[in-house]
Amino acid sequence: MADPLILTLRLDAASQTWFDRLRRAHFPPERNFLAAHLTLFHALPGAERAAIEARLRAVAAAEAPFPLEVGPPFPLGRGVAFRLFSDKLQFLHAGLAAGWRDWLGPQDRQRLRPHVTVQNKVAPEAARVLQGELAAGFSPFVATGEGFQLWHYRGGPWEEAGEFGFEGGSNQVNRDQSG
């Protein structure tokens, strides 16, 4: 049985750096094994890797990078995340999910609620305090979705399995990451 695969959205470098900085500062270090990420699918079948990669290559070749509005931080109960809004991302996710319907577990069949977690596995009070602090200094900005990243999940830190950059068309996106 092949290890499951995780699919994430690759963000522009400035946005990735911004989220990574927050995650390093606020995620418990003993539990922080990953860079900040926006998960699209949590458990795709590793045995179907060739078919998954073929579909990702085809979609990425046709798609241009696209904007995602980064909303203010929201509480996760025991952590904090930032929601990202994009009709294009919802459309891409729905199309992939429809094609992979038979492979998806309950978590991956749900409607996508795109977010990047910067804190998790802390006491609820600590999460509330951080959410308030981050919200007070937050200025909305636009990130860019630049491609897909596929990862092997082998019980610990993820291992890269492939990257599929968006190559179609051209979109100019505001990349102001102040804050």
Side-chain angles (χ1 to χ4, degrees):
M1 185 79 163
D3 296 315
L5 298 167
I6 299 165
L7 183 64
T8 63
L9 182 71
R10 186 180 77 212
L11 299 174
D12 63 278
S15 297
Q16 185 67 48
T17 298
W18 190 81
F19 286 122
D20 281 341
R21 180 179 54 80
L22 289 174
R23 188 174 171 103
R24 278 191 309 276
H26 302 294
F27 210 98
E30 68 279 4
R31 295 175 177 262
N32 192 17
F33 303 114
L34 305 171
H37 54 277
L38 191 162
T39 303
L40 300 175
F41 293 95
H42 298 83
L44 295 170
E48 300 295 341
R49 181 177 175 186
I52 291 166
E53 288 180 341
R55 180 70 179 136
L56 294 174
R57 269 192 297 279
V59 171
E63 294 298 332
F66 58 89
L68 300 104
E69 295 176 33
V70 179
F74 70 97
L76 295 173
R78 298 180 63 82
V80 178
F82 289 83
R83 231 179 235 111
L84 287 84
F85 302 93
S86 167
D87 290 341
K88 176 57 127 182
L89 181 58
Q90 293 293 345
F91 175 79
L92 288 175
H93 181 268
L96 291 171
W100 297 336
R101 181 178 307 115
D102 293 342
W103 299 340
L104 302 181
Q107 184 177 24
D108 286 332
R109 286 188 179 136
Q110 297 176 12
R111 184 178 189 279
L112 181 65
R113 291 177 179 85
H115 64 278
V116 176
T117 301
V118 296
Q119 181 189 60
N120 206 358
K121 317 264 193 246
V122 300
E125 180 56 31
R128 280 191 293 278
V129 167
L130 179 62
Q131 192 267 333
E133 290 172 2
L134 293 176
F138 180 74
S139 295
F141 66 93
V142 175
T144 302
E146 295 187 340
F148 298 119
Q149 294 173 299
L150 192 62
W151 305 89
H152 293 285
Y153 179 71
R154 297 190 168 125
W158 302 351
E159 295 175 29
E160 189 171 350
E163 261 196 59
F164 308 86
F166 297 144
E167 301 171 3
S170 66
N171 287 345
Q172 292 299 317
V173 178
N174 175 7
R175 292 197 167 116
D176 176 19
Q177 278 8 82
S178 59

